[in-house]
């Protein structure tokens, strides 16, 4: 079946049939991908589109405290980023004391969080935002400064729910070699049993191919190890994540790790590629820079409504790499309304022209489109056969093509 002729209601019917357990095999991605595997989804109602928010780890791996979280929540609202959909304010590792209390409860670090996590959650909620916390499916977290939740899944899930936590990032360190399906499955059930909707973000690093089993357990799953603030790291995460494209969809997403945009060690054009590829790939858009002092270039990138709209499109089909000639690549995926999103990217060291033929991106050669350049905010009408662009090293273009 050609996805570009698939109407939205039919698509939703197909999805709900698949998630109800019927055999799949309908090619929803057209030529852009193989059949979507059967999806047995975690039934918590969350993650219908990829999650958006912020996490301290990429910019503040160790300097976490309640002041930073409050100021970040304030900045999320005052900059206008909250209004664009960035809603989760997430704490990473190091938020707790080394030991549980005498009842076995996790205890917030008294120096970092003197007011406690519940008061912080109340503050974040008062801003119209949601709050996320961090745990580990092992005996100790990765930083080794706080306990993991292995064997304490119900107790910790209940603690998180009592603090009105909205999101859990669940790491994979010190796991005693126990199967991840079991460890992550236990926490998934414990979170569901609290009765509070808590977005479940699996941070299993892609070790045991989580795309193949995590949709029934979590709302997103890491497909890669940790990202670094370098072009090579970023682009390799995009490639690894791409292999699992057919497993993503509303309710459960592939996660190539959080954004480095704005952290300073890539050029603006490299960060533009980073944000374009993450948006096209329906990756979580979790900001990782200091948004209290966000610079203009960074703000222009992460606040681009048209690019965010590709990420949040209701079809929820992960765009893929569809053609490559040496260092020149075409990435593409279908959007609602028979539209097509395209990223042209030059991974090489010298300027070159990158071309997306209609045959690359699943369009019939007779189709005439209007091409919206999402970074230039300009539209070129009546284009047929191909779009192309001459791109500097590590630069990209992003378009939405709308058939006339
Ligand atoms: C608690 O926070 C303080 C202040 O940041 C830090 O020095 C200490 O190491 C933390 N304790 C643990 C167990 O992480
Ligand atoms: C910055 O990027 C360069 C080039 O990719 C890399 O060699 C270097 O290690 C990076 N520095 C940091 C601090 O990440
Ligand atoms: C950043 O943008 C603001 C508002 O658009 C503008 O007033 C300011 O001059 C810009 N700063 C720089 C360094 O370009
Ligand atoms: C990929 O691009 C090359 C060069 O434009 C073209 O020859 C080839 O047919 C394309 N492959 C596909 C699968 O469209
Ligand atoms: C392309 O569109 C034309 C006109 O609608 C149609 O006749 C033709 O069968 C289509 N080709 C393919 C490969 O779908
Ligand atoms: C780029 O596209 C334009 C029209 O869309 C076409 O005229 C031109 O030949 C193309 N350039 C290359 C190098 O393919």
């Amino acid at each position: 079946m050609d996805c570009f002729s698939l109407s939205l209601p039919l698509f939703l019917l197909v999805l709900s049939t698949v998630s109800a357990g019927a055999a799949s095999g309908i090619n929803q991605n057209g030529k852009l991908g193989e059949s979507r595997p059967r999806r047995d989804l975690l039934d918590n109602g969350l993650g219908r589109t990829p999650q958006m928010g912020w996490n301290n780890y990429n910019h503040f791996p160790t300097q976490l405290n309640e002041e930073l979280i409050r100021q970040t929540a304030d900045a999320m609202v005052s900059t206008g980023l909250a209004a664009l959909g960035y809603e989760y304010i997430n704490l990473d590792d190091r938020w707790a004391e080394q030991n549980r209390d005498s009842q076995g409860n996790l205890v917030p670090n008294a120096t970092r969080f003197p007011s406690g996590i519940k008061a912080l959650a109340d503050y974040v909620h008062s801003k119209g935002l949601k709050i996320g916390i961090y745990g580990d499916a092992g005996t100790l977290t990765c930083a080794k400064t706080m306990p993991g939740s292995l064997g304490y899944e119900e107790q910790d899930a209940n603690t998180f729910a009592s603090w009105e936590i909205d999101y859990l990032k669940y790491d994979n360190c010190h796991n005693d070699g126990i199967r991840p399906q079991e460890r992550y499955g236990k926490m998934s059930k414990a979170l569901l049993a609290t009765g509070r909707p808590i977005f479940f973000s699996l941070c299993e690093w892609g070790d045991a191919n989580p795309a193949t089993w995590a949709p029934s357990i979590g709302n997103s799953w890491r497909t890669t190890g940790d990202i670094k603030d370098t072009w090579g790291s970023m682009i390799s995460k995009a490639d690894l994540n791409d292999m699992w494209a057919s497993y993503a969809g509303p309710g459960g997403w592939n996660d190539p790790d959080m954004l480095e945009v704005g952290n300073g060690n890539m050029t603006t054009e490299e960060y533009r590629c980073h944000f374009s590829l993450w948006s096209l790939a329906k990756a979580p858009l979790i900001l990782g820079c200091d948004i209290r002092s966000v610079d203009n270039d960074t703000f222009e990138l992460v606040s681009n409504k048209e690019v965010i709209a590709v990420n949040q499109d209701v079809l929820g089909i992960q765009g893929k790499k569809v053609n490559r000639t040496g260092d020149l690549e075409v990435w593409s995926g279908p959007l609602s309304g028979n539209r097509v999103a395209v990223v042209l990217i030059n991974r090489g060291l010298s300027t070159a022209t990158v071309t997306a033929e209609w045959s690359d991106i699943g369009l019939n050669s007779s189709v005439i489109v209007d091409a919206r350049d999402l970074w230039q905010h300009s539209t070129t009408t009546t284009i047929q056969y191909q779009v192309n662009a001459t791109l500097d090293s590590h630069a990209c273009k992003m378009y939405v093509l709308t058939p006339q």
Side-chain angles (χ1 to χ4, degrees):
M1 184 184 295
D2 177 357
C3 57
F4 300 108
S5 60
L6 192 62
S7 69
L8 181 57
L10 177 56
F11 176 85
L12 290 174
L13 180 67
V14 169
L15 240 200
S16 55
T17 310
V18 170
S19 59
S24 131
I26 296 163
N27 189 348
Q28 294 165 13
N29 290 13
K31 84 171 283 287
L32 292 162
E34 53 282 15
S35 309
R36 272 193 182 193
R38 152 200 199 127
R39 301 185 91 226
D40 179 13
L41 285 171
L42 169 64
D43 190 18
N44 68 358
L46 300 174
R48 302 310 298 172
T49 60
Q51 68 269 36
M52 296 175 65
W54 176 90
N55 172 296
N56 65 282
Y57 188 76
N58 283 354
H59 196 87
F60 302 97
T62 61
Q63 304 97 302
L64 179 60
N65 61 55
E66 65 180 47
E67 191 75 356
L68 171 67
I69 299 302
R70 281 207 209 92
Q71 290 174 355
T72 298
D74 293 347
M76 199 64 107
V77 174
S78 65
T79 55
L81 290 171
L84 294 171
Y86 295 96
E87 62 176 340
Y88 291 105
I89 307 288
N90 296 347
L91 320 186
D92 211 280
D93 203 347
R94 299 180 165 87
W95 62 265
E97 294 286 2
Q98 183 79 66
N99 297 309
R100 294 174 180 272
D101 70 12
S102 56
Q103 276 81 52
N105 296 308
L106 290 169
V107 182
N109 181 316
T111 318
R112 296 180 189 271
F113 297 98
S115 316
I117 304 292
K118 176 63 168 69
L120 189 60
D122 290 346
Y123 185 81
V124 171
H125 290 149
S126 78
K127 294 276 164 179
L129 299 167
K130 297 190 164 100
I131 186 166
I133 207 158
Y134 168 97
D136 186 275
T139 52
L140 267 180
T141 63
C142 297
K144 303 187 193 175
T145 58
M146 56 178 279
S149 294
L150 190 65
Y152 292 83
E153 289 84 359
E154 284 180 20
Q155 182 165 8
D156 292 351
N158 288 335
T159 299
F160 300 150
S162 75
W163 290 339
E164 298 187 41
I165 293 292
D166 304 298
Y167 185 116
L168 176 64
K169 172 179 172 181
Y170 204 44
D171 218 335
N172 196 27
C173 285
H174 311 290
N175 61 45
D176 288 353
I178 301 169
R179 290 171 68 240
Q181 291 87 332
E182 191 179 319
R183 291 179 289 114
Y184 286 87
K186 273 190 184 156
M187 182 51 93
S188 177
K189 286 202 180 74
L191 292 172
L192 269 184
T194 67
R196 181 173 177 82
I198 299 178
F199 190 105
F200 192 29
S201 159
L202 277 62
C203 182
E204 187 265 3
W205 318 321
D207 279 6
N209 301 341
T212 63
W213 49 265
S216 63
I217 291 178
N219 300 109
S220 66
W221 46 88
R222 284 274 296 279
T223 52
T224 73
D226 283 5
I227 196 170
K228 293 198 201 73
D229 188 14
T230 68
W231 167 263
S233 172
M234 181 279 288
I235 206 78
S236 72
K237 302 301 176 244
D239 286 343
L240 284 169
N241 190 64
D242 188 45
M243 304 190 321
W244 305 102
S246 62
Y247 293 87
W253 308 100
N254 290 312
D255 178 2
D257 206 1
M258 303 177 290
L259 296 163
E260 291 283 7
V261 180
N263 280 334
N265 198 44
M266 285 187 249
T267 67
T268 299
E269 291 315 302
E270 290 174 335
Y271 284 136
R272 194 187 308 280
C273 296
H274 182 11
F275 198 71
S276 299
L277 288 175
W278 262 237
S279 294
L280 183 89
K282 305 292 189 285
L285 298 181
I286 303 293
L287 300 170
C289 62
D290 184 356
I291 63 173
R292 301 169 308 172
S293 58
V294 68
D295 60 76
N296 286 3
D297 285 347
T298 300
F299 189 77
E300 183 227 326
L301 296 178
V302 303
S303 68
N304 186 316
K305 281 184 191 173
E306 299 187 75
V307 175
I308 292 171
V310 169
N311 181 258
Q312 298 289 304
D313 184 70
V314 291
L315 269 192
I317 295 179
Q318 179 172 335
K320 291 170 59 72
K321 190 186 302 192
V322 296
N323 203 347
R324 178 175 83 88
T325 309
D327 292 321
L328 312 179
E329 295 183 350
V330 179
W331 293 61
S332 178
L335 299 175
S336 57
N338 291 322
R339 295 167 306 143
V340 182
V342 180
V343 172
L344 306 180
I345 184 162
N346 177 4
R347 293 167 66 152
L349 296 177
S350 46
T351 301
T353 299
V354 187
T355 301
E357 305 282 356
W358 272 199
S359 60
D360 294 335
I361 60 176
L363 288 177
N364 186 324
S365 62
S366 65
V367 171
I368 297 172
V369 306
D370 293 338
R372 177 73 174 172
D373 181 327
L374 304 190
W375 291 113
Q376 289 296 314
H377 303 292
S378 63
T379 304
T380 309
T381 56
T382 322
I383 295 187
Q384 195 174 2
Y385 307 124
Q386 55 145 268
V387 282
N388 62 58
T390 300
L391 298 173
D392 290 339
S393 168
H394 296 184
C396 71
K397 282 276 190 183
M398 187 167 187
Y399 303 97
V400 168
L401 309 182
T402 305
Q404 288 184 347

